Structures are given as C-alpha cells and as structure tokens.
C-alpha cells in the first residue's frame, strides 16, 4: 500500500512461480535468529522489528469529513479512526452503520442513543448491533418492541426491566419461542 500500512486485505499475491513463506510470523522468527536465542532476547528483538515497521506511520485521527465518508462507505469500522467530532457527525455515522452495523460501537454516545442511527445499524447487522446501543435505547419499550419484532434476538439486549415484563416478552416469545432464553 502507498501509505506503508500492511494489511492481509491489501497484500499482493506472489508472482507465479515464487513461493511465499508459511506465515509472516515464521518469516519474522527467521530474521530473529541470534546467538543468544533466549525467550527474552527473542521478544526484545521482535519488539524492535515491530517498532521499526511502525516508524513513519501517522496515527492521527481522520479529521476531514470527505475522507472519513469515503472510508466508512468502504468499511464502516474505519469510523474507529475518525476524529471524535466525526464520530459524532450524524452523516458520517449513518454511512458507517449502513455499511457495517457493528460500527455503532465507534459512534459518539449521543448517536448510540439516537433511534434513527440504531435502526440503520439494526437493518445492516441485526440484533447484534444493539450490543453497542446506549442504555436509553435498550430501555425504550416502543423502540425495543419494534427491534424485537424485526429480530427476536433483540430481546437479549433489552433492559432488565423490559425482559422481566411478561407483557413485553409474551408476544416476542410467542412468535419466536427460542427468544425465551433472553427473558
């Protein structure tokens, strides 16, 4: 990659006829062979190699909205690398959760409590997105009822008070008996 970050997704395939080592770890261990090959020496050498590989990489959060939007539309979880201001930007977060509902975990607390954002995450990832929703969402009877109507697994993330309420749980488990495990 042009910015110096190695990723299995971005790695080039070896040219035809060239062999690739068994794994990067095997290749790294091969470079670490030293006369005094104790575990402590090997660990120190490995740390040095890792630090050398990270030199020159800028870990500054993405502050440009246009860049962040392109990134999250490609991979919603890249919201993690956006600035706090952009993690609180409704347009950026909606684009991120539309691509990957689990990106809700990287959104600001305010947006994790916004039903429009949570619904977009639910549409993409199902009930699993609720793990990252704000407590105010998980305790909302109407919203959680709608979420459980779409995916009974939402009951797992509902507030304790809702899960203990037979009037709330009854219709959900009648439709999907397996959701009873979360009541």
């Amino acid at each position: 990659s042009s910015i110096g970050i190695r990723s299995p997704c971005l790695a080039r395939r070896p040219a035809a006829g060239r062999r690739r080592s068994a794994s990067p770890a095997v290749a790294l261990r091969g470079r670490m062979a030293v006369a005094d090959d104790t575990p402590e020496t090997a660990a120190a050498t490995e740390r040095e190699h890792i630090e050398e590989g990270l030199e020159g990489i800028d870990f500054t959060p993405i502050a440009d909205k246009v860049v962040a939007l392109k990134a999250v539309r490609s991979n919603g979880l890249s919201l993690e690398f956006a600035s706090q201001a952009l993690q609180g930007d409704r347009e950026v977060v909606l684009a991120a959760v539309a691509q990957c509902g689990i990106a809700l975990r990287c959104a600001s607390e305010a947006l994790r409590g916004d039903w429009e954002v949570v619904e977009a995450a639910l549409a993409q990832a199902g009930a699993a997105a609720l793990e990252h929703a704000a407590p105010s969402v998980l305790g909302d009877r109407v919203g959680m009822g709608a979420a459980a109507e779409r995916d009974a697994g939402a009951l797992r993330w509902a507030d304790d008070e809702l899960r203990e309420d037979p009037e709330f749980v009854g219709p959900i488990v009648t439709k999907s008996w397996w959701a009873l495990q979360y009541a």
Side-chain angles (χ1 to χ4, degrees), residues 3-22:
I3 57 174
I5 298 176
R6 295 276 185 217
S7 165
C9 300
L10 301 175
R12 293 185 184 164
R13 293 188 175 172
R18 291 179 59 192
R19 289 196 49 170
R20 190 179 229 173
S21 68

Side-chain angles (χ1 to χ4, degrees), residues 66-90:
V66 173
V67 172
L69 279 168
K70 284 184 180 184
V72 300
R73 285 180 181 141
S74 174
N75 180 348
L77 290 175
S78 63
L79 181 61
E80 180 178 356
F81 303 105
S83 66
Q84 284 186 337
L86 290 176
Q87 289 175 349
D89 183 282
R90 178 182 215 70

